[in-house]
Amino acid sequence: MQYFPVFIDAEHLSVLIVGAGEVGARKLELILKTPAKVTIVSPWVSDTVKQLVAQHSLTLHERKFEDADIFTHNMVFVATDDPQVNQHIHDHATAHNILVNVVDNTPLCKFITPSIVDRSPIIIAMSSGGVAPVLLRYLRQKLESVIPAQVQRLGRFSEKFRSEVKSRLGSVTERRYFWESVLDGDIAETVMQGNEAKADMDFANALDDFTQQDNTQGEVYLVGAGPGDPDLLTFRALRLMQKADIVVYDRLVSPAIVELVRRDAEKIYVGKAKSKHTIPQDEINQLLVDKALEGNRVVRLKGGDPFIFGRGGEELETLVDKGISFQVVPAVTAASGAASYAGIPLTHRDHAQSVVFATGHLRDDTINLDWPALVQKNQTTVFYMGMTGLGIICRELIAHGMSPNMPIAIVASATLPHQRVVIGTLTTIEELVKTAEIKPPALIIVGTVVSLHDDLHWFKPQLD
């Protein structure tokens, strides 16, 4: 993030605009939305600027820029058509630690003005750092269409009651919970409809009710993060991630998904890799209990689906024993995500009428599975956590009657930009994986459906 986004209090801001053509006029119109004091310096003034000066009683000096002009200002916009003048003012302002923006010349900008969605007092500002203005304009149009104009009423309504809520609810967490209940409910709709009297009365009742509730115990949300691509998150998962006070996440949750968690939530990593537990499962279970008993909303974020080889059931049993309330949010499981992004249907009328999920996790250097059940005809078998035991899996499948030429796929980092797929047979796959230097996380798909990969693969990984 090259540009740090901030909102500056314009109450006592003094802005100098050098240049009074149409480019300068655009910046002037933007600044005039604030209470900032504005001075304009330019030997030539466009009709638009003249009108704005007359309407707002602005200070205008119809002359060339002088070095002394900057010293009574906090911020300078440079909008001349002379590159040498622009460079000079930039250098001069920078030398005196005054924020300067040379319009349409990003390298000469110590700050940049964002694209704005204005629903004052609600302001949404976006920036591409000057590299994609058309994309930024497109995103702004999208936001303008989905954010109701009446949301400004909610902003003013929140301001009116902010002090009262702060005085009656002692903790930041309590206040946030209360405001979320207001904004998610009927009160917000009443405000946006303009029925302020009813909204005021409903708000007072809601605040009274909330202060009488027992808010000392929190809740746990067991949330599936899917196979890795953030676009595969459910709406509910994203909403709860944004509500969380604490997020407990594992190794298979991609950084891009962790980035979507509420910014000021506490994030606790409890990753596990190849039977090497950073935190034992019992301690994770107790951690969820302890954090909920402190009154927090706790999201337990798991890669894939929490109820498929995710130990979600074990964690919920502990919560039930301790009387902690919880919710479960299912997700695209890793097998479905990996198969879809590799172009391998898990079922197909000509290949497989059933699919089996199995764990390839080693215990005492063995994999204890019902091997005869895994070698049935017209069946696809998917192994989770099986890379360490890949050789054992292939040998046991062959030993129990599966053809040595059965197609097998290894899908690593499924759904992510660096996804890799290796296709072979039960007799060749070990060497192919070794040559390709495939590392976990990866899933193993066994069955004739793998032969469809060549025709059906659609996802184009961004490999180096």
Side-chain angles (χ1 to χ4, degrees), residues 106-416:
T106 304
L108 296 185
C109 292
K110 295 304 179 186
F111 72 96
I112 54 178
T113 53
S115 180
I116 294 172
V117 177
D118 187 358
R119 300 287 192 275
S120 296
I122 305 303
I123 304 293
I124 300 173
M126 301 176 293
S127 171
S128 69
V131 301
V134 176
L135 173 60
L136 199 62
R137 191 157 54 246
Y138 171 79
L139 293 175
R140 178 188 169 188
Q141 290 170 356
K142 290 287 187 182
L143 284 175
E144 291 278 13
S145 67
V146 298
I147 299 174
Q150 293 80 8
V151 78
Q152 59 185 285
R153 293 176 178 171
L154 273 179
R156 292 194 296 267
F157 184 83
S158 300
E159 180 184 19
K160 180 168 64 174
F161 289 105
R162 185 170 183 268
S163 296
E164 181 180 354
V165 172
K166 188 174 183 179
S167 66
R168 295 186 61 182
L169 300 178
S171 73
V172 173
T173 299
E174 277 189 310
R175 294 195 290 270
R176 181 165 58 81
Y177 287 2
F178 173 72
W179 279 115
E180 286 176 351
S181 70
V182 169
L183 297 175
D184 285 339
D186 293 337
I187 296 175
E189 187 64 29
T190 303
V191 171
M192 288 198 290
Q193 289 173 358
N195 192 344
E196 193 166 331
K198 184 177 187 305
D200 289 355
M201 181 176 64
D202 291 346
F203 185 91
N205 293 334
L207 184 55
D208 287 341
D209 292 342
F210 191 87
T211 56
Q212 296 170 19
Q213 295 175 6
D214 180 7
N215 300 306
T216 58
Q217 180 170 304
E219 188 173 14
V220 175
Y221 308 128
L222 184 61
V223 176
D229 185 347
D231 284 349
L232 298 179
L233 281 171
T234 65
F235 288 125
R236 184 171 182 79
L238 183 59
R239 182 167 64 83
L240 294 179
M241 287 162 61
Q242 285 291 310
K243 285 178 174 288
D245 303 304
I246 296 172
V247 176
V248 179
Y249 68 102
D250 61 38
R251 183 179 66 94
L252 297 179
V253 179
S254 68
I257 289 177
V258 175
E259 185 67 21
L260 296 176
V261 169
R262 189 169 67 89
R263 188 72 60 189
D264 53 346
E266 180 184 356
K267 303 174 187 67
I268 302 175
Y269 176 70
V270 291
K272 306 172 184 180
K274 280 190 167 184
S275 302
K276 179 181 175 183
H277 292 201
T278 301
I279 299 179
Q281 186 63 48
D282 289 345
E283 292 186 22
I284 296 175
N285 298 350
Q286 189 59 46
L287 175 66
L288 300 178
V289 171
D290 292 343
K291 294 300 184 181
L293 288 175
E294 292 172 3
N296 296 295
R297 290 172 176 166
V298 183
V299 164
R300 175 64 171 110
L301 196 57
K302 289 177 168 289
D305 183 276
F307 276 5
I308 299 181
F309 301 120
R311 294 193 171 182
E314 297 176 39
E315 294 175 355
L316 294 190
E317 286 176 327
T318 302
L319 297 176
V320 170
D321 289 343
K322 301 298 183 180
I324 305 297
S325 61
F326 60 85
Q327 300 179 31
V328 181
V329 182
V332 175
T333 186
S336 180
S340 297
Y341 275 58
I344 302 173
L346 292 177
T347 62
H348 188 285
R349 286 195 301 174
D350 297 332
H351 294 271
Q353 286 74 57
S354 64
V355 58
V356 176
F357 296 163
T359 176
H361 179 65
L362 289 176
R363 184 181 293 274
D364 301 324
D365 295 324
T366 62
I367 303 176
N368 299 316
L369 295 172
D370 184 359
W371 294 105
L374 300 179
V375 296
Q376 300 299 309
K377 291 183 179 180
N378 302 320
Q379 177 175 282
T380 304
T381 303
V382 181
F383 291 91
Y384 287 65
M385 301 171 287
M387 290 304 293
T388 300
L390 178 60
I392 297 174
I393 290 171
C394 293
R395 289 192 293 273
E396 289 291 341
L397 291 175
I398 293 172
H400 286 83
M402 187 172 282
S403 169
N405 294 320
M406 178 64 72
I408 179 173
I410 308 298
V411 185
S413 302
T415 77
L416 297 176

Side-chain angles (χ1 to χ4, degrees), residues 50-69:
K50 288 179 180 178
Q51 291 174 2
L52 292 171
V53 168
Q55 291 170 4
H56 298 274
S57 301
L58 305 177
T59 301
L60 172 63
H61 300 299
E62 295 188 53
R63 57 169 172 76
K64 291 183 178 180
F65 170 81
E66 298 173 0
D67 285 355
D69 288 333

